[in-house]
Amino acid sequence: LAAPLLVDGADQVRLAARQQLRLGSTQVKVMASGGVMSPIDALESIQFTVEEMHAAVHEAEMAGKYVVAHCHTSPSINNALAAGVRSIEHGSILDEATANAILNQGAFMIPTLLVIEALAKWAEAGDIPHYGQMKLAQVRTQMPFSVELAASAGVLLGSGTDILGPGQTGRGEELALKARVIGPMKAIVSATSTNARLFRLENNIGKVSEGMDADLIAVCGDPIGDIGLLANGKNIPLVIKGGQVFKESF
């Protein structure tokens, strides 16, 4: 399995990207800004130069893949866009000019609201260091406004949670949080047709249409009227992937 690598300079980035791709990575991720839980770097810190990120983008493109970038702030987003990054992960503290830049480049943005709420609960329990609490408060305040700004600009908003581990739980909860900002239908579209476009699989998945892979769920109730239904697996009695039934509990 691919594992994170700490690198400096365009040549090291290029080598690291090649290593990840050789190991079977379907995307390459770069850390373009500081992180909430990083003990030393500020959110506003810039982690890579445009040249360094472009080296990863070039290697990914040669392999038919693409690069996504962890970015909390607009300066880091603009650097990532200049390097040719396809998707901005988080986009927590966004300004209007940068939202328009994402739109004009045809890039995607993946807000991650759920992980912020999860971290907030841990912070209330005293399980997050002080440095993390300060940065968390900053992101938690700004992210809903950034999502609204990006949506208003017409940015392609995908769906992800940033929740780590094999369970990858909470995807339905992420949609419910996003729906508070952009509405339930747009939240559902972010996880279906928009994500399919991001993955370059729009001819196979992302909508219900003849000739598409049969990836379907049945919901007990109307998720447009109550998108919170998607946050509880008990409300999803049927899951079909590629035409095969993976769950059936009617």
Side-chain angles (χ1 to χ4, degrees), residues 35-57:
V36 171
M37 295 305 295
S38 303
I40 296 174
D41 51 5
L43 288 176
E44 296 79 8
S45 65
I46 305 297
Q47 301 291 308
F48 282 117
T49 65
V50 172
E51 180 188 16
E52 288 172 324
M53 286 188 283
H54 181 70
V57 169

Side-chain angles (χ1 to χ4, degrees), residues 1-2 10 14 87-88 92 109 111 117 173 188 197 226:
L1 294 176
R14 181 174 294 107
S87 179
I88 304 300
S92 311
M109 179 173 130
E117 295 307 308
E173 292 177 74
I188 291 171
R197 290 175 64 183
D226 180 12

Side-chain angles (χ1 to χ4, degrees), residues 4 27 77 148 178 247:
Q27 302 92 7
I77 293 171
E148 184 176 15
K178 192 182 297 179
K247 177 184 178 181

Side-chain angles (χ1 to χ4, degrees), residues 161-169:
T161 67
D162 208 37
I163 301 296
L164 305 179
Q168 294 292 298
T169 59

Side-chain angles (χ1 to χ4, degrees), residues 215-226:
D215 290 354
L216 306 164
I217 63 171
V219 183
C220 293
D222 177 13
I224 301 299
D226 180 12

Side-chain angles (χ1 to χ4, degrees), residues 140-165:
R140 194 183 188 195
T141 299
Q142 293 294 321
M143 188 176 281
F145 296 106
S146 296
V147 175
E148 184 176 15
L149 179 61
S152 297
V155 171
L156 293 166
L157 293 176
S159 186
T161 67
D162 208 37
I163 301 296
L164 305 179

Side-chain angles (χ1 to χ4, degrees), residues 2 10 26 30 39 42-43 47 63 98 118 129 148 160 165 193 210 214 227 230 237 242:
T26 52
V30 295
L43 288 176
Q47 301 291 308
T98 303
E148 184 176 15
S193 61
E210 184 178 354
I227 197 168
L230 299 178

